[in-house]
């Protein structure tokens, strides 16, 4: 039975992604975050008979769902982390890809499934792994990390101002066994209207740590540059400022240091040219229909044509 895309995960800013992504109807495309395949399916509908589309995801549930949604000989699903896309894709496609899409983070089905441990709305195990091949779980982070490490990751990855008392509370309540145990630790520190935001920030921080999301994003962006052909495009949708900052910096400078390299004549040397400075957001209509789209920030860059010789 085919599950409708709306009951599973609604693809965010679908029209905008397709608009910026597709150039050559019979080109090669990579969806680095296949999920349920909503964007890929829509992309395939715009492409010609000789197009090739690879969909990467490291989550078995996502791959199973995409397989139900997409039955197309031009499409190939690939299990793995987009941070290693160059090794996941056929070697002769390096430097030949027309468009790459990254729709970052977790999908609705991962969040909505309490047994995955991403949600604080229902009780579940402290897991939060997108790929079950990962050894580290949320339980390991909250129960085994030192106070300093826990405090710093809540501050850096969650941008949580009360990281010190929350980290101390978590340590005093060890061992934590479920998502509600973790939620209660935050509730005992942050009272009033800000509680939910803090819980959400703490869950985000631990999820980022468990899945090494920022490191994989950096690695994925670098690999995407190698995979793209000259003038090929990368479209990235991020859902929080940490990710968006990384994407913005990389598109602008081609590195993560923030420094822009210049050649002998003072011209910028960078592999990508951002197509616009400010990220695009979902329309008001989409935001009202799909709450997940409210935090989406879409950036697009084009691979700079290398001068011969
Ligand atoms: C926001 S969802 C994508 C939804 C998809 N665009 C759709 O329309 O159905 C993100 C997906 O990317 C996957 N993902 C996140 N980070 C990944 C990574 N580093 N490597 C591979 N897959 C990743 C998640 O498992 C999830 O299925």
């Amino acid at each position: 039975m085919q599950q409708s895309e709306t009951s599973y995960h609604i693809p965010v800013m679908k029209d905008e992604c397709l608009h910026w992504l597709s150039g050559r109807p019979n080109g090669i495309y990579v969806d680095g975050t296949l999920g349920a395949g909503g964007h890929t399916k829509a992309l395939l509908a715009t492409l010609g008979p000789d197009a090739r589309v690879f969909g990467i995801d490291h989550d078995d549930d996502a791959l199973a769902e995409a397989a139900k949604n997409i039955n197309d000989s031009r499409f190939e699903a690939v299990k793995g982390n987009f941070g290693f896309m160059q090794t996941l894709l056929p070697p002769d496609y390096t430097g030949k890809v027309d468009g790459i899409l990254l729709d970052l983070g977790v999908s609705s089905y991962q969040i909505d499934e309490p047994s995955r441990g991403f949600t604080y709305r229902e009780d579940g195990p402290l897991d939060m792994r997108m790929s079950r091949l990962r050894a580290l779980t949320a339980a390991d982070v909250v129960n085994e990390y030192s106070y300093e490490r826990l405090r710093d990751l809540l501050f850096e990855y969650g941008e949580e101002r009360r990281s010190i008392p929350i980290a101390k509370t978590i340590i005093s309540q060890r061992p934590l066994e479920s998502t509600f145990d973790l939620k209660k630790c935050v509730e005992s520190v942050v009272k009033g209207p800000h509680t939910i935001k803090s819980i959400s920030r703490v869950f985000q921080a631990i999820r980022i740590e468990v899945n090494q999301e920022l490191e994989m994003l950096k690695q994925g962006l670098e690999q995407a540059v190698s995979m793209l052909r000259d003038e090929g495009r990368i479209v990235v949708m991020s859902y929080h400022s940490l990710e968006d900052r990384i994407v913005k910096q990389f598109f602008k400078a081609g590195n993560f240091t923030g420094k822009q390299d210049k050649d002998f004549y003072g011209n910028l040397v960078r592999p990508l040219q951002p197509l616009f400075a400010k990220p695009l957001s979902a329309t008001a209509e989409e935001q009202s229909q799909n709450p997940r789209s409210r935090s989406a920030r879409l950036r697009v860059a084009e691979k700079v044509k290398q001068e011969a010789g």
Side-chain angles (χ1 to χ4, degrees):
M1 196 184 79
Q2 203 165 350
Q3 194 168 3
S4 80
E5 63 184 20
T6 47
S7 68
Y8 195 67
H9 179 96
I10 307 170
V12 173
M13 299 182 75
K14 185 172 73 183
D15 294 343
E16 292 86 340
C17 288
L18 297 187
H19 170 79
W20 292 105
L21 198 60
S22 46
R24 289 186 186 165
N26 289 309
I28 303 163
Y29 295 87
V30 177
D31 180 347
T33 50
L34 178 65
H39 286 99
T40 288
K41 193 173 177 179
L43 176 65
L44 281 161
T46 68
L47 297 176
D50 297 324
R52 292 285 284 140
V53 180
F54 294 90
I56 301 172
D57 208 295
H58 54 180
D59 184 342
D60 290 316
D61 294 351
L63 291 166
E65 202 53 38
K68 286 189 218 161
N69 271 337
I70 306 170
N71 179 11
D72 192 311
S73 59
R74 299 167 300 166
F75 167 70
E76 195 173 317
V78 182
K79 180 172 170 172
N81 193 307
F82 65 65
F84 302 98
M85 75 172 83
Q86 216 176 332
T87 45
L88 295 173
L89 299 169
D92 49 333
Y93 284 2
T94 298
K96 299 208 178 110
V97 172
D98 291 273
I100 297 177
L101 172 68
L102 297 180
D103 175 17
L104 300 172
V106 277
S107 26
S108 312
Y109 69 91
Q110 288 167 322
I111 300 229
D112 293 346
E113 176 51 57
S115 69
R116 303 294 304 267
F118 291 108
T119 181
Y120 50 83
R121 296 186 198 283
E122 285 180 72
D123 206 7
L126 282 164
D127 191 327
M128 300 198 198
R129 287 171 304 166
M130 287 192 231
S131 162
R132 290 187 180 92
L133 294 176
R134 287 200 75 76
L136 188 75
T137 66
D140 299 328
V141 174
V142 297
N143 290 322
E144 283 165 32
Y145 274 26
S146 67
Y147 159 69
E148 290 78 11
R149 208 166 161 201
L150 200 51
R151 175 199 64 196
D152 292 350
L153 85 88
L154 296 182
F155 187 72
E156 281 171 34
Y157 294 166
E159 301 184 287
E160 172 51 54
R161 286 190 305 137
R162 310 291 309 279
S163 54
I164 292 175
I166 294 172
K168 282 186 179 160
T169 307
I170 289 174
I171 287 182
S172 73
Q173 296 302 313
R174 280 174 172 174
L176 275 59
E177 274 164 14
S178 71
T179 50
F180 273 8
D181 288 348
L182 178 58
K183 182 181 173 184
K184 278 182 215 146
C185 289
V186 186
E187 282 169 342
S188 71
V189 173
V190 187
K191 312 267 185 209
H194 301 298
T195 316
I196 280 291
K197 282 204 171 147
S198 284
I199 295 171
S200 158
R201 285 194 284 255
V202 166
F203 272 65
Q204 171 184 298
I206 295 170
R207 193 197 89 197
I208 290 176
E209 174 70 7
V210 166
N211 296 290
Q212 298 284 296
E213 289 178 37
L214 303 185
E215 288 75 8
M216 286 303 124
L217 173 58
K218 288 180 181 173
Q219 209 170 294
L221 290 171
E222 285 175 335
Q223 300 222 341
V225 171
S226 313
M227 294 311 300
L228 285 173
R229 65 164 170 85
D230 286 354
E231 294 173 338
R233 284 184 181 173
I234 175 162
V235 175
V236 186
M237 247 190 307
S238 51
Y239 295 87
H240 57 77
S241 54
L242 297 171
E243 286 171 342
D244 186 52
R245 221 172 289 152
I246 288 173
V247 178
K248 179 181 174 186
Q249 196 174 60
F250 189 71
F251 281 9
K252 212 167 141 192
N255 60 52
F256 304 105
T257 64
K259 283 199 192 125
Q260 289 183 288
D261 293 333
K262 292 190 177 157
D263 67 11
F264 181 74
Y265 302 102
N267 302 314
L268 285 179
V269 180
R270 57 180 176 186
L272 296 170
Q273 168 73 41
L275 295 199
F276 33 83
K278 285 217 161 104
L280 305 180
S281 302
T283 60
E285 192 190 352
E286 181 173 356
Q287 292 191 32
S288 71
Q289 284 165 1
N290 180 10
R292 187 180 152 72
S293 71
R294 287 180 200 149
S295 51
R297 297 285 172 271
L298 186 147
R299 292 186 185 271
V300 185
E302 204 165 83
K303 184 161 169 183
V304 176
K305 197 167 178 194
Q306 304 301 309
E307 299 299 333

